[in-house]
């Protein structure tokens, strides 16, 4: 994946949910907070996406935070999660 041009600034990726201990549902927001793109990807793909696109990762709600923490812990049992999400 290629990164976005620096002049677009840093984006925000907000975790909204996880699915089947495999997928992460997120909203990508860059610039206008009223405009978001929904994405679904695996945790390793999310790490690569956030790093390549200079995104800050946040979690939308307590339920999403709990589900995301479970996914990270599940991934840690299989292999070491990337540092930016640890």
């Amino acid at each position: 994946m290629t990164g976005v041009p620096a002049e677009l600034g840093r984006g925000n990726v907000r975790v909204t949910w996880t699915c089947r201990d495999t997928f992460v549902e997120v909203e990508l927001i860059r610039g206008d907070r009223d405009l978001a793109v929904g994405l679904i990807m695996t945790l390793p793909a999310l790490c690569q996406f956030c790093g390549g696109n200079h995104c800050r990762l946040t979690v939308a709600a307590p339920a999403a935070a709990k589900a995301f923490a479970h996914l990270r812990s599940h991934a840690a049992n299989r292999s070491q999660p990337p540092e930016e999400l640890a």
Side-chain angles (χ1 to χ4, degrees):
M1 279 185 227
T2 60
V4 296
E7 63 270 12
L8 290 179
R10 184 178 177 132
N12 292 305
V13 172
R14 183 172 47 213
V15 175
T16 55
W17 200 248
T18 65
C19 181
R20 292 187 236 150
D21 287 337
T22 303
F23 297 101
V24 182
E25 178 181 304
V26 300
E27 292 179 334
L28 171 64
I29 303 165
R30 187 175 297 277
D32 185 350
R33 290 187 176 270
D34 292 330
L35 181 62
V37 176
L39 303 167
I40 298 173
M41 60 187 81
T42 63
L43 184 60
L46 176 63
C47 296
Q48 184 178 9
F49 180 84
C50 288
N53 291 289
H54 311 287
C55 294
R56 179 179 34 196
L57 185 67
T58 61
V59 181
K66 183 177 179 182
F68 188 59
H70 175 75
L71 177 63
R72 285 189 356 223
S73 127
H74 184 73
N77 291 335
R78 289 182 279 167
S79 65
Q80 187 63 30
E83 289 181 18
E84 62 268 17
L85 295 181

